[in-house]
């Protein structure tokens, strides 16, 4: 959208979060609140964005990278003062309309942003304020209208009379301004006599005095106003977001027989027919196919899960598992692993930075790290790759259908050829040619009658 830009206010201190980070970086469903706001802007097609940062601003600047322009508000003198820091960028911008919104209200959505813009343009408003009706408006700025229902001004909680504070229609903090009207109002903004802060909301009365049209757009979903100033409110936002996300998946045909302990990030996708069991957390850029069973007690981060996959008591990070895979219980799949179709990984197995071929089985007590494993292989219980020499990590290669005997140590770099066998208890330091048996252990010697001669047990005569 070329005629509109957005200014996100996120310099505030967020003291009550007691976090060493900007408030907009605190998370709802594992994603910083600022992400939610930026996503809503992207979905609305608003690509020109300016973020006002201050308290711990370096963190926000680093987090958003090049996605937004940045302006610093060195002293926190209120939302109006924050908006003033956008003036140089706005003067350069070719946009005619400016959306101002708060970095600590994650539920702003495209319908609201674009619905309000439409009203703003159609009505020829100098400013259009997005409002919502709240049962308990405490803490928010109240929308004050005249008898004909026209917006006159916004009064803040700290400044309002009891009569004004009885109004339940509140300012969401989302406002569309005509750019030239915003610039003219900001140039004239004076600090509040009560708090000494510059209120962005005071621009309304200034524009009204100029004889401009000031409009209100009531959001269909009152959640758009919700913000979090402390951890309790953050929990409430998490609860709301969590239930919304679960509802969406249930409506899409995902089976969730009990929601206890289930948290699903907002960008996770799940195909119908998959079942999610209690205490399962799916987050980041995770995608899940159909007919899987994930859980109980499973965490999946930034991963791709195929169809018909079972993950039971698994921690699965930044990895891929293809169709028909089966992992758990009590397995850890660490980043950059790729498990091909029908792989089985069982109890107390850790896989890291490895490729595992179709149908390979790693059933128990095994560590596979930095390895390329072919199809149809079998790992005996307790076998492992010795990938680290204290300085450098080395890779292990295991070709198709190799059989790794129980308690084999594969000292990398090393290669086991196709169909080869390693004998149980072997420490393999040399490559094993295909179709060979490698035995690398001392041979067994039985000493007959030793016990009757030596009498090693207590009370033996
Ligand atoms: C603000 C509005 C209020 C509205 C509410 C909606 C004003 C004066 N009040 O109140 O009408 O109902 O939002 O949530 O605008 N910020 C800065 N610099 C500052 C102060 C704040 O960047 O100096 C940022 C904050 O980081 C935050 C946003 O502006 O993201 C809103 O500030 P906050 O102090 O939370 O305002 P509210 O009291 O919630
Ligand atoms: Ca706030």
């Amino acid at each position: 959208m070329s005629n509109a830009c957005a200014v996100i206010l996120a310099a505030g201190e967020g003291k009550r979060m007691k976090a060493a980070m900007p408030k907009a970086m605190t998370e709802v469903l594992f994603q910083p609140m600022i992400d939610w706001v930026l996503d809503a802007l992207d979905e609305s097609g608003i690509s020109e964005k300016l973020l006002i940062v201050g308290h711990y601003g370096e963190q926000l600047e680093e987090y958003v990278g090049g996605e937004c322009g940045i302006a610093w508000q060195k002293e926190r003198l209120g939302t109006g003062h924050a908006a003033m820091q956008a003036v140089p960028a706005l003067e350069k911008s070719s946009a005619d309309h400016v959306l101002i919104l708060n970095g600590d209200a994650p539920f702003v959505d495209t319908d609201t942003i674009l619905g309000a813009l439409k009203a703003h343009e159609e009505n020829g408003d100098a400013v259009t304020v997005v409002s919502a009706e709240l049962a308990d408006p405490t803490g928010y700025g109240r929308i004050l209208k005249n008898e004909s229902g026209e917006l006159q001004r916004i009064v803040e909680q700290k400044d309002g009379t009891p009569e004004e504070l009885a109004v339940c229609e509140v300012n969401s903090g989302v406002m569309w301004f005509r750019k030239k009207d915003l610039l003219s109002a900001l140039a004239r903004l004076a600090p509040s006599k009560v708090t000494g802060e510059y209120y962005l909301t005071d621009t309304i009365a200034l524009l009204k005095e100029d004889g401009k049209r000031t409009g209100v757009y009531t959001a269909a979903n009152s959640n758009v106003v919700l913000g979090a100033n402390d951890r309790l409110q953050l929990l409430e936002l998490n609860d709301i977001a969590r239930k919304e996300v679960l509802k969406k998946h249930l409506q899409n045909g995902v089976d969730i027989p009990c929601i206890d302990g289930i948290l699903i990030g907002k960008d996770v996708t799940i195909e119908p027919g998959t079942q999610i069991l209690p205490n399962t957390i799916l987050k980041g850029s995770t995608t899940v196919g159909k007919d899987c069973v994930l859980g109980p007690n499973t965490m999946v981060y930034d991963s791709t899960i195929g169809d018909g996959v079972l993950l039971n008591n698994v921690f699965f990070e930044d990895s891929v598992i293809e169709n028909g895979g089966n992992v758990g219980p009590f397995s850890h799949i660490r980043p950059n692993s790729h498990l091909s179709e029908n792989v089985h990984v069982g109890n107390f197995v850790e896989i890291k930075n490895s490729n595992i071929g179709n149908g390979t089985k790693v059933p128990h007590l095994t560590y596979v790290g930095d390895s390329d494993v072919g199809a149809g292989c079998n790992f005996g219980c307790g076998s492992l790759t010795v990938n680290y020499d204290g300085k450098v990590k080395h890779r292990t290669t295991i070709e198709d259908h190799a059989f790794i005997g129980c308690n084999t140590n594969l000292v990398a770099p090393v290669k086991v050829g196709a169909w080869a066998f390693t004998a149980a208890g072997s420490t393999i330091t040399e490559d094993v040619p295909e179709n060979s048996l490698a035995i690398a252990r001392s041979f067994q010697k039985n000493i007959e009658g030793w016990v009757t001669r030596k009498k090693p047990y207590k009370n033996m005569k």
Side-chain angles (χ1 to χ4, degrees), residues 227-239:
N229 295 318
D230 59 28
R231 299 285 179 178
L232 268 173
Q233 287 171 339
L234 201 59
L235 173 63
E236 282 166 25
L237 296 191
N238 269 292
D239 269 346

Side-chain angles (χ1 to χ4, degrees), residues 9-12 23 52 73 76-79 82 102-104 139-141 154 156 171-173 199-201 225 229:
L9 310 183
K23 187 161 46 153
I52 311 296
Q73 186 194 19
R76 259 68 74 196
L77 300 178
T79 52
N102 293 346
D104 65 351
Y140 292 93
I154 296 175
E156 293 302 314
N171 168 27
S172 68
Y199 296 159
L200 178 61
T201 43
V225 305
N229 295 318

Side-chain angles (χ1 to χ4, degrees), residues 184-207:
S184 108
L186 287 178
R188 289 174 284 151
L189 209 55
S192 149
K193 291 192 184 68
V194 181
T195 61
E197 281 186 18
Y198 293 85
Y199 296 159
L200 178 61
T201 43
D202 283 349
T203 55
I204 311 298
L206 286 173
L207 293 170

